[in-house]
Amino acid sequence: MTLTDKKLNRRSFLKVSALAGGGMMLSFSWLAGCKPTTDELLTMPDEWFEINSYIKIGENGAVTLFNPNPEFGQNVKTSLPMILAEELDIDWKKVFVEQADFYPERFDRQFTGGSNSVRTSWKPLRTAGATARQLIVNAAAKTWEVPAEEITTSHGTVEHKSSGKKAGYGEMASLAGTLEAPDPETITLKEISDFKIIGKSKKNVDATKIVTGKPLFALDHKVKGMKYAAIVHPPAFGMKLKSFDKSSVTSMPGIQDAFEVKIFKDDYGRNFFDTTTFPVIIAIVGDSTWEVMQAKKSLKAEWEKAPESTFPMAGRGGQTRDIKVPDGLENSSTHKEKMAEYIAKPGTEHRKDGDPEAAFKKAAKVLERTYTAPFLAHNTMEPMNAFADVTADKAVIYGPTQAPELIRQTLASSLGMPQENIQINLARMGGGFGRRAYSHHLTEAALISQKIKAPVKMVYTREDDMTAGVYRPTYSATYRAALDEDNKLLAFHVKAGGIPESPLHANRFPAGAIDNYLAEGWQIDSNITIGAFRAPRSNFIAGAEQSFLDELAEEMGKDPIEFRLELLKRAETNPVGENNDYDPKRYAGVLKLVREKSNWPSAPAGTSRGVSAYFCHNSYVAEVVDISIKDNQPVVESVYAAVDCGVVVNPDAAANMGEGAIVDGIGNAFYGEMAFEDGVPTKTNFDKYRMIRHSESPKKIEVHFVENNENPTGLGEPLFPPIFAALGNSLYKATGKRFYDQPFQPQLLQIENLNM
């Protein structure tokens, strides 16, 4: 057994033990709009007893577990309760799972992003489950008048073997709820070898509801008297509202009103996720979504160029910095010209090992390549939407958000209402990928509801969604390698930048493996707003770095996997520098595993293969892609992925998430691109914004996990970044052409006899 990690802070533990000792009887509530089946009704207890914030136990032994984090398809609504159930030591078949609403007094860090849900919940949820189990044991000890140390638990029962006494958890739940929670330092957690639930695949608890169309999303939510709203934002980045003619729409059928909405108060200090491209918009309110969307088309509005501006934003460490928003109507062609200027001049030094300048001077050969990638739109399947019911002293918000705690700060300021009067109910999200961490759509709906004094549902059109900003930035990275006469690597130089941020990770591989190393960065201001996009920054720099290493290995006459392993061996046995942010042994482990699983030396007949590997979100991934050319088109035949993310809670779900990241990455590598002309996004819907199609997905994907007892690390994002280079490197083998610029499709079309 392992003692509870003392790093579990007091605040978290109080939530783990919240209400323990209260012995509260609670009524059970099903998910909104979902009626229980007959079988489920038969298992319903007459009373529920709350053991702590995450766990309720009925008198019949049924258990309700609360998933604290927002669910957007990563399956945390199943995997996080599995962690609770494991330490509680119950039968998974007796478990009900409920999505918790935003409740910071009871749940810690209700945030979905950064591939952190399982990693940051691992110890708190294990402790919550183990604490509840100990309370049940203590209740049994008190009831039977025997030492607690002599009581064992298994599958929701407690037993004192020497006296022959045995009972279900439900029989002890009422008393357990009145007992004082034990000191966290006395709580013992299971040994990993004793796990019965973690590591065994469990079906998605919402699977039946999803495939049968049950209401799980905010778009499904309706209340009596609810109005509908659409928004109109400026047509271009760098523009703002000048005026609009309200009468142009208010006479249309079903239209109630049209008015200006100002998202932020003038004195509000924004937080990091308060990215809103257009802080002033027009709202149209009516009786149905159809009617307000028709009115959008008829609204007469005038727009004008926005001047340069600044606003304060809170940064890490409690410091505030001013964010400058340049004026002007930007173009992608101008972006490329500016980026070329920055590529040609020195950047800001972020890391320097040895004497790279001298090494490059004496090099017999220098390999230099530049890689680029465009802005990307998130394109979640479900467009932005939110329900809001704001009264004089209370606000109820229901919508898709990854960061409820941060948007509540914004809501409080914009509504002029204390945070404790704002309830945010968490809807299942139809995709997120970072976009819904920027939840100003909740604020827009709330301000509209406050204005019309009625509940309202606000929905973006696909065009609103695709043109409202918060994109993956456009990036560039230039790599140089110095080789001596024997093709030995003397020095390595990376210079990476973007608009408006750099993708550089200066301390990542191959830093630490090369004596002479230089990392530089640069960035260019822009009024095109950006935000987190599945594996921020890594989603570009991994592809650039791993493509260059592939070409460098070829230049040096080495096998690409062996070349990476040689560098990692150097980083393991004789590392350069002290700030390398990866474990070279675990990094090498995934390369060796993918080499084995893909049978690397023997590509299937008619296929060309490429490899890539990357470390991010504390996890290690290596991938091999097999490409064939059929009917003059590239076909992704197979993808092999090896992943080291520590303990895998729900293996099938983990593999599913990896498969999704791989398909998403291949689609963005082939087609993803957002461009701008005079500040106007050139693509507004899926007729022009090309997404991967079902027929273009890999014919086979295998996801293999390294088995170890390391604490869980990120999984939702780490399989996404390396697939770009694995695909590009396999395309090179198939076509003889290296791919330096994303998306790949336009370059493939330039190859004779190749279509796509």
Side-chain angles (χ1 to χ4, degrees):
M1 303 290 276
T2 305
L3 279 176
T4 303
D5 192 325
K6 295 180 181 179
K7 292 180 180 177
L8 181 68
N9 62 39
R10 181 68 180 166
R11 181 169 176 258
S12 295
F13 179 72
L14 288 173
K15 292 171 184 177
V16 166
S17 60
L19 298 182
M24 293 178 63
M25 277 195 305
L26 301 175
S27 62
F28 185 84
S29 62
W30 292 91
L31 292 173
C34 294
K35 294 181 180 178
T37 64
T38 302
D39 288 343
E40 288 170 335
L41 280 172
L42 290 175
T43 63
M44 289 289 288
D46 295 326
E47 295 178 342
W48 287 99
F49 301 95
E50 184 157 289
I51 308 301
N52 60 36
S53 295
Y54 300 90
I55 299 169
K56 291 188 296 186
I57 299 178
E59 91 289 341
N60 66 350
V63 178
T64 293
L65 303 177
F66 288 90
N67 167 47
N69 286 25
E71 167 71 66
F72 63 3
Q74 78 279 43
N75 213 22
V76 291
K77 192 175 175 182
T78 304
S79 55
L80 296 187
M82 285 174 67
I83 299 171
L84 286 165
E86 180 65 70
E87 292 290 351
L88 184 56
D89 206 6
I90 53 175
D91 185 345
W92 183 252
K93 293 178 182 176
K94 294 184 177 179
V95 168
F96 296 97
V97 174
E98 282 200 78
Q99 173 64 56
D101 288 322
F102 177 59
Y103 203 156
E105 294 78 13
R106 295 170 66 92
F107 303 108
D108 205 14
R109 198 181 183 279
Q110 290 185 273
F111 175 82
T112 290
S115 294
N116 271 327
S117 291
V118 171
R119 184 169 76 91
T120 58
S121 299
W122 180 243
K123 288 178 181 173
L125 293 189
R126 290 186 69 189
T127 304
T131 302
R133 184 185 67 208
Q134 187 62 51
L135 284 168
I136 295 290
V137 168
N138 292 348
K142 192 171 184 178
T143 301
W144 296 335
E145 297 182 337
V146 299
E149 295 75 19
E150 296 178 6
I151 294 175
T152 59
T153 63
S154 179
H155 293 92
T157 62
V158 282
E159 183 175 10
H160 185 253
K161 291 183 180 176
S162 60
S163 65
K165 292 179 178 177
K166 188 174 184 180
Y169 279 11
E171 298 172 65
M172 300 295 167
S174 177
L175 177 58
T178 67
L179 300 178
E180 183 177 352
D183 186 330
E185 295 192 14
T186 68
I187 296 295
T188 52
L189 304 179
K190 284 185 176 181
E191 295 289 350
I192 289 176
S193 58
D194 293 331
F195 283 173
K196 302 170 186 171
I197 295 174
I198 292 174
K200 309 288 190 301
S201 293
K202 303 297 180 190
K203 291 182 179 177
N204 186 320
V205 296
D206 277 341
T208 301
K209 297 183 178 72
I210 292 170
V211 299
T212 56
K214 294 294 188 298
L216 293 170
F217 303 91
L219 283 170
D220 300 316
H221 192 65
K222 292 181 181 178
V223 301
K224 188 176 181 180
M226 183 178 78
K227 294 294 182 181
Y228 296 80
I231 61 102
V232 179
H233 64 68
F237 293 82
M239 298 196 77
K240 67 183 184 71
L241 177 65
K242 181 179 181 181
S243 64
F244 72 100
D245 181 4
K246 176 178 175 178
S247 65
S248 61
V249 296
T250 49
S251 62
M252 294 180 68
I255 300 303
Q256 175 183 320
D257 201 358
F259 48 86
E260 178 182 307
V261 175
K262 186 177 179 181
I263 310 301
F264 301 116
K265 291 282 178 61
D266 290 336
D267 60 351
Y268 175 62
R270 301 189 198 184
N271 65 58
F272 182 74
F273 285 99
D274 270 323
T275 297
T276 301
T277 307
F278 306 111
V280 178
I281 59 173
I282 303 167
I284 302 172
V285 179
D287 296 332
S288 72
T289 299
W290 173 257
E291 288 167 323
V292 296
M293 289 190 174
Q294 294 307 302
K296 268 173 64 79
K297 300 173 184 175
S298 300
L299 183 74
K300 294 179 180 177
E302 288 189 64
W303 315 95
E304 61 184 355
K305 291 184 179 178
E308 179 180 300
S309 61
T310 60
F311 62 84
M313 175 176 281
R316 292 177 180 173
Q319 297 185 346
T320 299
R321 60 193 178 106
D322 287 333
I323 303 296
K324 184 176 79 172
V325 182
D327 61 357
L329 304 179
E330 300 182 18
N331 292 282
S332 292
S333 58
T334 309
H335 287 161
K336 291 179 180 176
E337 292 172 4
K338 286 185 177 179
M339 292 170 80
E341 293 174 10
Y342 277 75
I343 291 169
K345 60 186 181 182
T348 301
E349 183 179 303
H350 290 269
R351 173 166 173 160
K352 183 177 179 180
D353 297 323
D355 190 348
E357 293 87 353
F360 273 100
K361 282 182 180 176
K362 71 176 184 182
K365 187 189 308 178
V366 173
L367 180 68
E368 177 174 335
R369 297 290 184 265
T370 294
Y371 303 82
T372 68
F375 286 97
L376 294 177
H378 291 79
N379 292 330
T380 57
M381 185 68 75
E382 173 201 26
M384 300 302 118
N385 69 92
F387 165 86
D389 186 3
V390 180
T391 60
D393 57 0
K394 183 180 178 184
V396 177
I397 314 294
Y398 184 58
T401 175
Q402 296 176 230
E405 184 167 6
L406 294 170
I407 198 61
R408 194 168 73 152
Q409 299 171 24
T410 315
L411 285 162
S413 169
S414 299
L415 294 173
M417 184 178 289
Q419 289 193 40
E420 56 268 27
N421 291 13
I422 300 171
Q423 174 62 46
I424 300 176
N425 298 327
L426 301 179
R428 187 182 181 90
M429 291 174 270
F433 316 117
R435 174 63 182 88
R436 295 187 211 275
Y438 311 89
S439 305
H440 58 275
H441 49 288
L442 271 61
T443 310
E444 292 166 0
L447 289 169
I448 294 169
S449 175
Q450 187 178 52
K451 170 77 173 178
I452 65 173
K453 296 182 171 59
V456 68
K457 182 191 293 182
M458 186 274 301
V459 182
Y460 279 22
T461 63
R462 178 57 63 188
E463 288 79 6
D464 294 330
D465 197 84
M466 203 175 287
T467 62
V470 191
Y471 301 112
R472 196 287 296 271
T474 179
Y475 292 125
S476 173
T478 298
Y479 287 87
R480 294 195 305 145
L483 303 174
D484 68 11
E485 296 81 357
D486 299 321
N487 269 343
K488 291 182 180 177
L489 183 59
L490 299 175
F492 193 91
H493 176 203
V494 53
K495 184 169 59 179
I499 300 175
E501 69 167 19
S502 171
L504 182 69
H505 289 284
N507 295 319
R508 284 202 180 153
F509 181 77
I514 302 167
D515 288 320
N516 302 298
Y517 175 86
L518 176 62
E520 298 176 296
W522 52 268
Q523 59 190 45
I524 300 170
D525 287 342
S526 172
N527 58 31
I528 294 173
T529 47
I530 57 102
F533 186 107
R534 202 168 198 163
R537 300 190 290 160
S538 298
N539 57 42
F540 164 73
I541 202 72
E545 169 200 296
Q546 292 292 311
S547 295
F548 184 71
L549 289 181
D550 201 75
E551 191 164 352
L552 181 57
E554 182 181 52
E555 189 70 31
M556 297 170 70
K558 294 178 180 289
D559 173 85
I561 291 182
E562 284 301 324
F563 174 54
R564 289 168 172 84
L565 291 174
E566 286 175 12
L567 290 173
L568 288 164
K569 194 65 178 177
R570 167 65 198 276
E572 178 189 350
T573 57
N574 184 22
V576 180
E578 298 178 349
N579 296 319
N580 308 320
D581 67 359
Y582 60 94
D583 180 336
K585 198 169 182 179
R586 294 180 71 182
Y587 208 140
V590 294
L591 275 162
K592 293 174 181 175
L593 182 60
V594 84
R595 180 173 61 184
E596 172 198 336
K597 296 298 182 183
S598 68
N599 192 16
W600 171 254
S602 304
T607 65
S608 303
R609 57 180 25 173
V611 66
S612 173
Y614 199 65
F615 163 77
C616 67
H617 300 85
N618 300 295
S619 292
Y620 302 81
V621 177
E623 293 170 338
V624 167
V625 170
D626 287 342
I627 288 280
S628 67
I629 303 296
K630 292 180 178 176
D631 298 328
N632 298 325
Q633 293 188 346
V635 175
V636 183
E637 298 287 350
S638 305
V639 178
Y640 301 88
V643 186
D644 183 349
C645 60
V647 173
V648 178
V649 175
N650 194 359
D652 281 354
N656 291 161
M657 190 152 51
E659 291 162 359
I662 287 168
V663 173
D664 190 18
I666 290 173
N668 277 295
F670 272 135
Y671 307 113
E673 182 179 30
M674 176 61 84
F676 302 89
E677 292 180 3
D678 294 329
V680 179
T682 58
K683 299 173 182 177
T684 61
N685 209 321
F686 293 127
D687 59 326
K688 292 184 178 177
Y689 200 110
R690 180 79 155 80
M691 304 285 285
I692 191 169
R693 295 165 182 161
H694 284 290
S695 62
E696 296 166 336
S697 296
K699 307 304 179 191
K700 181 179 76 172
I701 300 177
E702 294 183 13
V703 180
H704 302 275
F705 295 97
V706 173
E707 295 183 10
N708 59 36
N709 291 340
E710 299 287 342
N711 286 343
T713 51
L715 186 58
E717 294 164 277
L719 281 91
F720 185 73
I723 197 65
F724 290 77
L727 178 65
N729 293 337
S730 66
L731 286 169
Y732 164 68
K733 293 292 186 182
T735 65
K737 174 181 171 57
R738 291 282 182 186
F739 292 80
Y740 302 109
D741 304 300
Q742 296 173 23
F744 297 155
Q745 184 207 27
Q747 300 157 76
L748 285 164
L749 294 176
Q750 295 173 5
I751 299 175
E752 190 175 358
N753 298 323
L754 202 59
N755 299 309
M756 228 186 149

